[in-house]
């Protein structure tokens, strides 16, 4: 199947989730955002265009630049299924996309397929991101049957030694088998979804395998291969994982030797107006860069998602970005505009 056909099918699949209320909500988001840039208030409320819901906040791997891996978080919270359903019921008419991922490994939540199915049946585009270590014949079938639209699978190398240099504790052969299971059940169940995207985070340790990865992805028959820049901590004076390929480096070296984020940091952020994250603890966060929930708008366990998302804390944070976005550490390591 050519890539053009796959992209056409992807677009056709996505369009089925459109509705007048979702289009109007997105229009309100844009108007609200534009008015805020000229210091005016929009006298109406909006819901986000997309949200990330975190099934679990722990993972079996120990990736060195991931907060979960750094802290070796092996057990923690799982989002309550009833809380999850209340969120979906609250937003289903206006939201287009739910991403089942934040920091932990989604497949560690035993009800993941059930949550995806519930969201799919509510008329919302769904996606998730996984290290694929737990993908097996049974849950691959459940995922295909759930109606999941896209699955992103992390694969940062084409050999075990390179792959495991970052995905510490991971097995490349499990990733490959996981992709095979998904493709098998898609064919068996005559389903075009989920579209499989392989994501390769570019580090100095794996940059020599980019060409091989392109060939590998073709053989796997995936929908898309994406090369992603790595978000690194303590990068100011260089970092052993920082790629030497400028195109895939999030940071650039200044004349004094220090490294800074390439992109400028304007006092605006459309992502804060168009999206949100719900952690496994129920905290509503401005975006996926708020790893430690330092800027929580509130908790959906105590009240509705809409009340939290449109509340005073959320509005105050959004407008503080317009005055001085660089005051936030998480923003200073972000490439969103």
């Amino acid at each position: 199947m050519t890539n053009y056909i796959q992209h056409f099918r992807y677009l056709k699949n996505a369009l089925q989730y459109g509705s007048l209320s979702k289009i109007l909500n997105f229009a309100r988001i844009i108007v609200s955002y534009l008015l805020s840039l000229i210091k005016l208030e929009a006298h109406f409320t909006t819901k986000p265009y997309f949200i990330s819901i975190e099934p679990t906040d722990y993972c079996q791997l120990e990736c060195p630049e991931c907060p979960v891996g750094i802290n070796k978080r092996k057990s923690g919270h799982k989002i309550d299924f009833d809380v999850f359903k209340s969120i979906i019921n609250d937003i289903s008419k206006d939201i287009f996309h739910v991403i089942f991922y934040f920091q932990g490994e989604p497949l560690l939540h035993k009800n993941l397929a059930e949550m995806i199915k519930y969201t799919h049946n509510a008329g919302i585009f769904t996606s998730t991101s996984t290290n694929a270590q737990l993908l097996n014949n049974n849950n691959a079938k459940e995922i295909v049957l759930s109606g999941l639209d896209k699955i992103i699978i992390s694969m940062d190398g084409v050999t075990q030694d390179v792959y495991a240099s970052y995905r510490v504790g991971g097995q490349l052969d499990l990733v490959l088998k996981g992709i095979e299971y998904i493709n098998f059940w898609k064919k068996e169940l005559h389903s075009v979804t989920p579209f499989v995207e392989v994501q390769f985070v570019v580090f100095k340790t794996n940059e020599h395998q980019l060409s091989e990865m392109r060939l590998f992805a073709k053989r796997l028959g995936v929908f898309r291969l994406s090369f992603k820049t790595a978000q690194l901590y303590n990068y100011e004076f260089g970092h052993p994982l920082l790629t030497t390929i400028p195109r895939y480096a999030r940071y650039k070296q200044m004349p004094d030797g220090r490294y800074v984020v390439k992109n400028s940091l304007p006092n605006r952020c459309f992502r804060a107006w168009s999206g949100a994250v719900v952690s496994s603890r129920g905290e509503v966060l401005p975006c996926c860069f708020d790893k430690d929930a330092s800027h929580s708008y509130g908790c959906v366990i105590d009240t509705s998602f809409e009340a939290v998302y449109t509340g005073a804390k959320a509005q105050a944070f959004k407008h503080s970005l317009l005055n001085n976005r660089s005051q936030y550490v998480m923003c200073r390591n972000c490439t969103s505009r």
Side-chain angles (χ1 to χ4, degrees):
M1 185 187 302
T2 67
N3 217 27
Y4 293 110
I5 294 175
Q6 288 216 54
H7 278 80
F8 173 77
R9 289 184 174 179
Y10 181 82
L11 179 61
K12 181 181 178 182
N13 177 72
L15 288 175
Q16 71 176 306
Y17 297 102
S19 69
L20 180 60
S21 62
K22 294 176 183 181
I23 293 171
L24 291 175
N25 181 61
F26 188 65
R28 287 193 294 268
I29 290 171
I30 293 174
V31 172
S32 175
Y33 177 67
L34 292 176
L35 288 175
S36 71
L37 294 181
I38 56 175
K39 310 301 181 184
L40 293 177
E41 284 289 339
H43 296 289
F44 52 79
T45 59
T46 66
K47 291 179 182 177
Y49 168 75
F50 70 92
I51 62 169
S52 295
I53 296 178
E54 181 179 48
T56 66
D57 67 351
Y58 56 100
C59 182
Q60 73 277 57
L61 302 187
E62 297 179 4
C63 304
E65 290 297 303
C66 172
V68 176
I70 292 169
N71 297 322
K72 297 180 174 57
R73 204 185 294 164
K74 297 301 180 185
S75 61
H77 291 80
K78 294 183 179 181
I79 195 163
D80 181 80
F81 192 70
D82 289 332
V83 170
F84 159 77
K85 288 196 294 186
S86 71
I87 296 170
I88 299 302
N89 294 341
D90 197 14
I91 64 176
S92 61
K93 290 183 179 180
D94 299 305
I95 198 165
F96 177 78
H97 185 188
V98 170
I99 305 162
F100 287 92
Y101 176 72
F102 175 35
Q103 294 190 85
E105 168 51 47
L107 287 172
L108 285 167
H109 197 302
K110 65 179 181 179
N111 298 121
L112 177 63
E114 191 176 354
M115 290 192 292
I116 293 169
K117 185 176 182 179
Y118 190 88
T119 308
H120 172 77
N121 288 342
I124 302 172
F125 184 95
T126 57
S127 67
T128 192
S129 181
T130 175
N131 58 40
Q133 297 298 294
L134 297 176
L135 264 180
N136 55 46
N137 187 59
N138 293 332
N139 59 24
K141 181 180 180 180
E142 291 177 355
I143 286 171
V144 174
L145 287 171
S146 73
L148 180 69
D149 294 287
K150 184 171 77 169
I151 184 168
I152 299 173
I153 295 178
S154 299
M155 183 176 162
D156 311 317
V158 300
T159 57
Q160 173 61 26
D161 59 334
V162 172
Y163 169 80
S165 65
Y166 184 74
R167 301 287 167 180
V168 179
Q171 297 294 320
L172 179 60
D173 64 327
L174 294 180
V175 178
L176 300 178
K177 287 178 182 177
I179 295 172
E180 288 177 4
Y181 287 132
I182 291 290
N183 286 336
F184 170 81
W185 283 112
K186 283 173 61 176
K187 184 176 181 180
E188 192 75 9
L189 298 169
H190 308 288
S191 175
V192 297
T193 59
F195 291 89
V196 179
E197 176 177 334
V198 168
Q199 183 173 275
F200 186 108
V201 182
V202 183
F203 301 106
K204 188 174 183 179
T205 53
N206 64 10
E207 61 185 21
H208 61 288
Q209 292 191 339
L210 295 185
S211 296
E212 291 178 80
M213 189 65 229
R214 292 186 181 95
L215 295 174
F216 218 78
K218 285 184 178 180
R219 290 199 298 270
L220 290 171
V222 299
F223 160 64
R224 176 184 294 152
L225 168 64
S226 60
F227 293 113
K228 185 179 179 182
T229 62
Q231 179 191 0
L232 304 173
Y233 296 94
N234 302 316
Y235 59 82
E236 186 177 1
F237 299 103
H239 195 288
L241 288 175
L242 179 60
T243 179
T244 61
I245 304 174
R247 178 181 177 183
Y248 299 114
R250 185 174 295 200
Y251 313 96
K252 63 181 179 181
Q253 191 171 24
M254 303 301 287
D256 63 1
R258 293 183 306 107
Y259 285 84
V260 297
V261 176
K262 280 181 180 178
N263 295 350
S264 60
L265 194 66
N267 290 327
R268 62 179 185 270
C269 181
F270 184 64
R271 183 181 290 188
W273 266 255
S274 60
V277 171
V278 180
S279 75
S280 59
R281 298 168 184 260
E283 298 289 338
V284 180
L285 312 175
C287 73
C288 61
F289 277 76
D290 192 5
K291 307 294 187 184
D292 299 319
S294 302
H295 308 288
S296 173
Y297 297 160
C299 186
V300 292
I301 294 175
D302 306 319
T303 186
S304 70
F305 174 85
E306 182 176 8
V308 175
Y309 184 74
T310 60
K313 283 187 177 181
Q315 299 308 314
F317 178 82
K318 291 177 184 179
H319 289 289
S320 70
L321 294 173
L322 304 175
N323 296 319
N324 181 17
R325 186 179 168 195
S326 63
Q327 67 183 290
Y328 298 111
V329 174
M330 68 177 188
C331 293
R332 295 199 294 270
N333 203 2
C334 177
T335 56
S336 294
R337 292 174 178 270

